[in-house]
């Protein structure tokens, strides 16, 4: 069985082949399951650059009259008007793929289906669970549908960015699943739409499809104060496990194929997962890029802090490094370059010790400060240090990317 269907008919003279059928049209067979219903049925899938269509086979009259009430065959040709029937694939459901999402998980759980997935449109229309005959077909279709959705998302990003200032551009956006902690409900995962736009990470419950939707985010975080953390990837004997679905022995289905955390203020974190290594690589790369752009744009961040009863201002500056000043007089108490920071430690609550080295004497000087939200400050320091290194060594970000090692073999 071919996942791409039969070849298109030959083009008429003078007409290019690519005008007969969209170049990215893809067809194939699958089993369609509707959760809570009876037996699955055979369907034919047709994927174009904007829509995934489900077709079911039916018998249609292709010639003559199926009723025969008004036309009688002539004596010389008794079967001239006899109806003729053929089995054909007829469209039964079309799912628009702009801002759509793919789900391999069983409803409300983190358990992945083996060789199956469903597609959900932004307006709530869903395909039902599509089961494929082989693991390879499932992986191929998952990649193809995901790539189509990604292309359409990129087009949506371009449209949004046309109406935004250069400092408020969308760097990346898309659907993820969030693991819910401490819930009494049976639901352990929930779909979220994330966007890296301007200085903020946006978290939505529904995809933003209009300009007004961007002010209705469930939550926003300053990119300089969040930390992207890649979770350990599953490994095979030969290194990275490259299969898009983490295909393995029969029945093998890891709980969270590709996961990452976003560490935010006050020590909190949110855990998200995606289905493909290429998606994880895109999020990792995009977080690095968006944070770097925000550091370059803002140039500095200042936080109020205290030490021994004195109210102080602690500034992280892309050009100058670290500066501490009196909050009332604005007098600079001390200043060190990024390169002078040799270590740090904190109590996990509010207090941090920063270890700076004097270039001439090589002596270490310890500075202690207390912050209302220590986590946000530490993440900001990390963001500025990473951006400083990246500005000197453009290959730094590539050397720090682990997800791409897995994603590269998907292509």
């Amino acid at each position: 069985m071919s996942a791409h269907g039969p070849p298109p008919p030959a083009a008429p003279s003078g007409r290019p082949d690519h005008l007969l059928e969209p170049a990215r049209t893809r067809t194939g067979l699958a089993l369609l399951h509707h959760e809570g219903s009876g037996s699955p049925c055979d369907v034919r899938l047709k994927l174009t650059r904007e829509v995934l269509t489900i077709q079911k086979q039916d018998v249609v009259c292709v010639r003559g009259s199926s009723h025969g009430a008004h036309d009688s065959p002539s004596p010389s040709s008794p079967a001239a008007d006899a109806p003729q029937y053929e089995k054909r694939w007829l469209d039964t459901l079309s799912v628009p793929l702009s801002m759509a999402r793919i789900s391999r998980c069983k409803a409300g759980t983190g358990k992945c289906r083996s060789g199956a997935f469903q597609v959900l449109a932004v307006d709530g229309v869903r395909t039902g669970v599509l089961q494929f005959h082989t693991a390879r077909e499932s992986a191929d279709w998952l990649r193809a549908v995901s790539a189509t959705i990604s292309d359409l998302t990129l087009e949506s990003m371009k449209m949004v960015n046309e109406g935004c200032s250069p400092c408020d551009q969308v760097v990346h956006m898309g659907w993820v699943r969030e693991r819910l902690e401490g819930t009494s409900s049976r639901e352990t995962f929930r779909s979220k739409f994330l966007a890296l736009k301007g200085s903020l990470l946006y978290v939505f419950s529904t995809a933003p499809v209009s300009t007004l939707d961007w002010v209705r985010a469930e939550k926003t975080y300053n990119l300089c104060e969040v930390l992207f953390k890649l979770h350990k990837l599953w490994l095979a004997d030969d290194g990275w496990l490259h299969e898009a679905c983490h295909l393995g022995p029969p029945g093998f289905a890891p709980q969270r194929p590709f996961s990452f955390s976003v560490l935010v203020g006050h020590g909190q974190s949110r855990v998200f997962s995606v289905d493909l290594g290429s998606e994880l690589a895109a999020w990792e790369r995009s977080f690095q890029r968006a944070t770097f752009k925000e550091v370059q744009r803002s140039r500095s961040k200042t936080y109020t802090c205290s030490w021994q009863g004195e109210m102080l201002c602690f500034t992280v500056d892309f050009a100058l490094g670290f500066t501490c000043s009196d909050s009332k007089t604005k007098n600079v108490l001390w200043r060190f370059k990024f390169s002078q920071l040799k270590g740090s430690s904190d109590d996990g609550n509010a207090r941090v010790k920063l270890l700076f080295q004097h270039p001439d004497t090589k002596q270490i000087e310890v500075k202690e400060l207390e912050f209302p939200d220590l986590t946000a400050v530490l993440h900001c320091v990390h963001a500025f240090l990473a951006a400083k290194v990246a500005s000197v060594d453009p290959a730094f970000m590539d050397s720090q990317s682990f997800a791409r090692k897995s994603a590269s073999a998907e292509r």
Side-chain angles (χ1 to χ4, degrees), residues 70-125:
H70 304 289
D71 300 306
S72 338
S74 65
S76 59
S77 54
D81 289 332
Q84 295 183 13
Y85 298 90
E86 285 184 5
K87 284 187 176 181
R88 289 189 177 180
W89 292 104
L90 304 179
D91 294 356
T92 59
L93 178 67
S94 292
V95 180
L97 297 179
S98 179
M99 305 294 256
R101 61 186 173 94
I102 297 174
S103 175
R104 292 181 54 232
C105 290
K106 296 181 180 178
T109 75
K111 295 182 180 179
C112 292
R113 303 178 189 276
S114 179
F117 63 86
Q118 65 174 322
V119 182
L120 300 90
V122 71
D123 61 0
V125 175

Side-chain angles (χ1 to χ4, degrees), residues 112-152:
C112 292
R113 303 178 189 276
S114 179
F117 63 86
Q118 65 174 322
V119 182
L120 300 90
V122 71
D123 61 0
V125 175
R126 61 182 63 198
T127 60
V129 179
L130 300 170
Q131 180 84 39
F132 297 86
H133 294 82
T134 68
R136 176 55 58 190
E137 283 183 284
S138 176
D140 287 346
W141 271 95
L142 181 63
R143 278 190 289 261
V145 176
S146 177
T148 303
I149 293 174
S150 295
D151 289 345
L152 293 172

Side-chain angles (χ1 to χ4, degrees), residues 33-38:
H33 300 254
H34 287 291
E35 292 183 348
S37 63

Side-chain angles (χ1 to χ4, degrees), residues 291-292 295-296 299 316-322 337-339 380-394 396-397:
T291 303
F292 179 81
V295 170
Q296 292 280 57
R299 305 301 291 180
V316 187
D317 187 281
F318 188 75
L320 300 177
F322 306 99
K337 297 179 180 180
F338 287 117
S339 59
C380 179
V381 171
H382 179 276
F384 272 72
L385 285 171
K388 193 68 175 179
V389 175
S391 67
V392 177
D393 179 11
F396 172 74
M397 288 188 181

